[in-house]
Each structure stands twice: as structure tokens, then as C-alpha cells.
Amino acid sequence: LEAGRKHYCAVVMGTCARTCRVIDFPTEPLHAGDMLKFKIIACDMNANQRDTGGDIFSILLVHDRTGAGTNQVDVGDNFDGTYDCSARVKLAGEYAVQIELGSVPVAASAYPLTVLSGAPFPPKCKVEWWSPFLEEIGGNVLQIPAGAALFLTILMNDKWSNKVDDEEVDVTRVRWKCDQQQPDGTSAIREEDGNLFTSCQFKKTGNVSLCI
């Protein structure tokens, strides 16, 4: 009491990083191009959920192979103590998802995340060729004797240039398209390194435009 008046003191607890929780974080691997989604629950030092927003969480995805990190994560403030987080992951591999508030990690951070390669994407696949009789003229123009075998390795990549690691790729879907003559003896097999190996023969002489 002072000068006949009563003074009151209100104690307001702020958000405590170490008691904040993360829910709905994926436990199964994602594929390149998928959206990573999870939710942050802001809590005070007594682990009670806050009912207001305004916290600024820092989220960093660190790739274990490259060591590179990205903070391109959208954080939506629901103004009720919850935050919706999302990011599109494009590089396959293992990640550590670091979540901090004021440079202090939230509970259980960092979170492990596995991202697998996506489906084969033909425009990003590459072709390497060889033959005992092959002569490269230049500009993807090859010269080979009629009847000689041409061997090609197709480097399987997804839309984001990740090496495809899906063992279930259907090699029967490999098609040869030629504008002059159809090749003989075409075949395709999946190699141990995940790439496709294929071969063919052209028995007639002439110019051929080859599309795989």
C-alpha cells in the first residue's frame, strides 16, 4: 500500500523453447519433391500451451552429405500457440531438422528426416554410350559399322537430379524410337548401381536419329 492505493503485480510467463513440442513430424521417409509438414506447440516454462502467437521460430534443414542447410521453411502463426510448418524437400538424403527459439533448441531438436529419390524423370536422365567400333564425330553424332553392337548406360535421375534408388523401376518401359530403321536385339537390364544398361544393333547402313 502506498498513498492509500493498492498496487498489483501481474506475472506473465513467456514461451520457453525447451518445453515447446513438435507434433505430426513424419516418421516415414519422404520422396524428393514432397512437402515436409509438422506443427510446433509453444509452451511456457511449466509446459503449459500458450494461447497467443507472436513467437519467431528458426528452422534449418541440414543435409548430412553436403552439410548445406536451408531455412526456406514456411511458418504459419495460428495465434493460438500453434505454428504450422512446411517445406518442399528436393535433395535426397538424410537431414537433421533444427528448430530453435531465440537460439535455444526446442525439445528433442534436431529431428531426423530421410528423403528418398523420386520417380525417374526422362529429361534429367543422361545417356553414356560405347562400342569397340564406335567413332564419335561430335555433337552427339556417332558412327558405327552396320551389325556392330551399340551399348548404352542410362543414368537414372529424378526431376530434382537425384540418382534414382527405386529398385522397382520397370525396365520394360524403355523404348527405342528411330526415324529410319528399327534396331535389332534391343534389351534393357537394371545394373547394381541403379542405372539401366541397354544395347542394340543396326544391320542397315544409313543415317538414324535415335530416341530413347
Side-chain angles (χ1 to χ4, degrees):
L1 296 177
E2 182 178 343
R5 296 186 178 182
K6 293 182 179 180
H7 293 262
Y8 298 91
C9 178
V11 178
V12 179
M13 289 188 181
T15 302
C16 177
R18 299 191 184 281
T19 58
C20 293
R21 305 191 306 274
V22 174
I23 63 173
D24 299 332
F25 196 90
T27 57
E28 298 294 328
L30 301 181
H31 287 85
D34 288 349
M35 291 293 295
L36 166 64
K37 297 181 180 181
F38 58 92
K39 186 185 293 286
I40 299 175
I41 308 297
C43 299
D44 61 24
M45 63 182 299
N46 293 326
N48 298 312
Q49 180 176 334
R50 301 290 311 282
D51 57 4
T52 59
D55 295 307
I56 301 177
F57 288 92
S58 173
I59 304 175
L60 186 67
L61 278 66
V62 180
H63 194 275
D64 71 335
R65 177 171 55 82
T66 65
T70 177
N71 58 358
Q72 297 180 347
V73 181
D74 293 327
V75 181
D77 190 344
N78 297 317
F79 302 101
D80 60 358
T82 65
Y83 300 80
D84 294 321
C85 308
S86 62
R88 189 173 299 278
V89 288
K90 300 178 181 179
L91 180 62
E94 301 294 330
Y95 287 83
V97 182
Q98 302 174 357
I99 307 173
E100 298 180 350
L101 176 65
S103 300
V104 179
V106 304
S109 180
Y111 292 82
L113 174 69
T114 299
V115 179
L116 306 177
S117 62
F121 188 65
K124 288 295 180 72
C125 295
K126 299 179 180 180
V127 177
E128 297 177 348
W129 49 74
W130 66 277
S131 172
F133 310 99
L134 179 66
E135 179 181 352
E136 296 190 31
I137 300 177
N140 288 336
V141 178
L142 311 177
Q143 181 172 293
I144 191 171
L150 176 63
F151 303 97
L152 302 99
T153 297
I154 305 175
L155 307 180
M156 303 291 288
N157 295 322
D158 65 14
K159 185 177 182 180
W160 314 104
S161 299
N162 298 296
K163 180 179 175 60
V164 173
D165 50 20
D166 185 359
E167 298 180 355
E168 301 301 323
V169 173
D170 186 4
V171 298
T172 63
R173 297 176 61 186
V174 177
R175 295 287 185 270
W176 297 75
K177 296 181 180 179
C178 303
D179 60 353
Q180 298 294 331
Q181 59 174 300
Q182 289 299 315
D184 297 316
T186 60
S187 62
I189 61 173
R190 188 75 187 271
E191 297 182 310
E192 291 184 358
D193 60 4
N195 295 321
L196 293 183
F197 175 79
T198 184
S199 63
C200 69
Q201 290 179 308
F202 294 95
K203 295 183 177 180
K204 298 179 181 180
T205 59
N207 296 326
V208 176
S209 178
L210 179 62
C211 178
I212 303 176

